[in-house]
């Protein structure tokens, strides 16, 4: 099953009530800038004004390898993916540090890491396959695998929401994953490879040329199916991207707000919006990465990043840096005194 039910819109009446409450708080109108609109968005997602502070923010890092790494599109070898899954599980990665500071929990899931066995049964319970195909010369997934991956992401979203998550962040971990992500964005936005391809983990000019060539070759094989997001995920993306697509779409179906991270997650979100129109109303862009494809995807989704710090790590780190800003938006709307409460003549 790969369809998604109609996505409900966040509550417009509650958003209006939040904006009206902002006019009664002890501050000049509009003086908190974008925090005011972010607070209205959270209130609308929760259906409550004032909104509640997030109690169980959760990061899910989707890990997977990609055969295209063999084409020299990354500055690091594929073996780093499995090592970083272990590092995240042990609490030693940037995502762990930033999650602690932002008040969020972290979970890493092996969707398609290229190892004989997952790091643990819990991490590998949703594994689809061992690595995804080299999109420059072959499909990333089979028709059965792409459906399995989307469904895995859907189940993971359900697991987190059912466990009490009130804010979700998708993160990515996979050497070479910006190549399929860029291909997916280019296909969905009708963009030439040279305008979409970035430096990823920090490749040199020769690496950039190889990456651009791989994206061009993959795009050639998608030229007749760009209106079919599932086919695109199968041909030019991968199991981890397909799982993130299901995750982002299902979170919206479950009325749970999502902070998007960088280019890989946002590429998946772009496909998720095609599969579940209206899902983007439940998302905010945590940050803007240095990858050109990220800006292309954000523009298509009509999302404005909360922060811009030149980050390009992935893992959910950019979204986690934005989370305290979102908490500040909620806190000011919920906890500031009104003019009436402060005895001030507005």
């Amino acid at each position: 099953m790969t369809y998604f039910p109609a996505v409900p819109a966040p509550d417009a009446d509650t958003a209006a009530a939040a904006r009206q409450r902002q006019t009664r708080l002890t501050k000049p109108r509009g003086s908190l800038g974008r925090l005011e609109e972010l607070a209205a968005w959270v209130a609308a997602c929760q259906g409550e004004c004032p909104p509640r502070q997030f109690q169980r923010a959760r990061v899910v890092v989707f890990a997977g390898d990609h055969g295209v790494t063999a084409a020299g599109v990354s500055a690091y070898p594929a073996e780093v993916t499995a090592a970083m899954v272990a590092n995240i599980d042990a609490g030693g990665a940037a995502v762990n540090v930033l999650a602690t500071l932002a008040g969020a929990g972290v979970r890493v899931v092996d969707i398609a890491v290229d190892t004989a066995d997952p790091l643990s049964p819990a991490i590998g319970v949703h594994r689809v396959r061992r690595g995804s195909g080299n999109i420059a010369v072959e499909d990333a997934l089979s028709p059965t695998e792409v459906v399995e991956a989307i469904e895995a992401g859907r189940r993971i979203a359900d697991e987190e929401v059912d466990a009490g998550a009130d804010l979700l962040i998708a993160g990515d971990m996979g050497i070479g994953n910006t190549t399929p992500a860029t291909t997916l964005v280019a296909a969905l936005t009708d963009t030439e490879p040279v305008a979409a391809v970035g430096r990823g983990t920090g490749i040199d000019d020769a690496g950039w040329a190889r990456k651009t060539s791989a994206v061009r070759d993959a795009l050639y094989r998608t030229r007749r199916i760009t209106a079919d997001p599932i086919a695109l995920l199968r041909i030019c993306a991968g199991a981890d991207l397909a799982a993130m697509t299901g995750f982002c779409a299902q979170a919206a179906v479950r009325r749970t707000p999502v902070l998007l991270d960088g280019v890989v997650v946002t590429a998946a979100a772009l496909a998720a919006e095609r599969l579940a129109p209206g899902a983007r109303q439940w998302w905010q862009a945590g940050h803007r990465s240095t990858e050109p494809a990220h800006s292309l995807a954000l523009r298509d989704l009509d999302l404005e990043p909360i922060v811009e710090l030149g980050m390009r790590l992935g893992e959910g780190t950019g979204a986690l840096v934005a989370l305290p800003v979102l908490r500040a938006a909620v806190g000011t709307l919920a906890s500031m005194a009104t003019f009436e409460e402060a005895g001030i003549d507005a």
Side-chain angles (χ1 to χ4, degrees), residues 16 48 67 117 151 156 160 183 193 199 218 221 228 252 306 308 334:
E48 291 187 24
D117 298 298
E151 289 300 309
I156 291 166
E160 293 298 332
T183 306
R199 300 281 174 169
R221 294 185 300 102
D228 185 344
I306 294 173
E308 296 195 45

Side-chain angles (χ1 to χ4, degrees), residues 158-175:
D158 281 337
E159 290 166 4
E160 293 298 332
V161 175
D162 290 343
D166 51 8
L167 177 78
L168 292 174
I169 293 173
D172 65 276
M173 171 45 60
I175 298 302

Side-chain angles (χ1 to χ4, degrees), residues 21-231:
R21 177 176 169 81
Q22 291 282 3
T23 69
R24 304 198 309 273
L25 298 180
T26 49
K27 60 179 178 60
R29 291 194 180 197
S31 59
L32 286 178
R34 194 175 171 202
L35 289 183
E36 298 186 13
E37 195 54 38
L38 288 171
W41 174 74
V42 175
C45 290
Q46 294 179 351
E48 291 187 24
C49 180
R52 306 179 308 276
Q53 190 56 264
F54 301 111
Q55 297 299 310
R56 196 171 192 271
R58 291 283 288 173
V59 185
V60 180
V61 181
F62 292 80
D65 280 304
H66 297 269
V68 73
T69 304
V73 299
S74 174
Y76 293 91
E79 292 78 14
V80 171
T81 301
M84 281 303 301
V85 168
N87 190 34
I88 293 169
D89 184 55
V95 63
N96 305 105
V97 175
L98 294 174
T100 298
L101 293 171
V106 177
R107 172 186 181 186
V108 60
V109 293
D110 176 349
I111 300 296
V113 177
D114 189 14
T115 56
D117 298 298
L119 182 65
S120 72
I123 289 173
V125 67
H126 294 292
R127 182 188 256 199
V128 174
R129 57 177 283 170
R130 179 175 174 174
S132 295
N134 181 353
I135 62 170
V137 297
E138 63 183 343
D139 290 351
L141 304 167
S142 72
T144 299
E145 288 167 344
V146 70
V147 172
E148 184 181 349
I150 294 170
E151 289 300 309
R154 187 204 297 259
R155 288 194 301 274
I156 291 166
D158 281 337
E159 290 166 4
E160 293 298 332
V161 175
D162 290 343
D166 51 8
L167 177 78
L168 292 174
I169 293 173
D172 65 276
M173 171 45 60
I175 298 302
N177 63 8
T178 62
T179 300
T182 299
T183 306
L184 186 59
V185 171
L188 288 169
T189 61
D190 191 24
T191 302
E192 289 295 319
V194 292
V197 175
R199 300 281 174 169
T201 50
I203 52 177
D204 58 16
D205 289 346
W208 182 88
R210 291 190 295 269
K211 184 175 180 178
T212 302
S213 178
V215 171
R216 183 188 63 238
D217 291 345
L219 280 175
Y220 182 78
R221 294 185 300 102
T222 68
R223 64 196 183 280
R224 295 189 179 90
I225 51 91
T226 54
D228 185 344
I230 295 176

Side-chain angles (χ1 to χ4, degrees), residues 229-250:
I230 295 176
L232 285 175
L233 290 167
R234 174 177 61 82
I235 293 172
C236 72
D240 50 348
L241 280 148
M244 283 182 265
T245 297
F247 180 84
C248 291
Q250 186 65 8

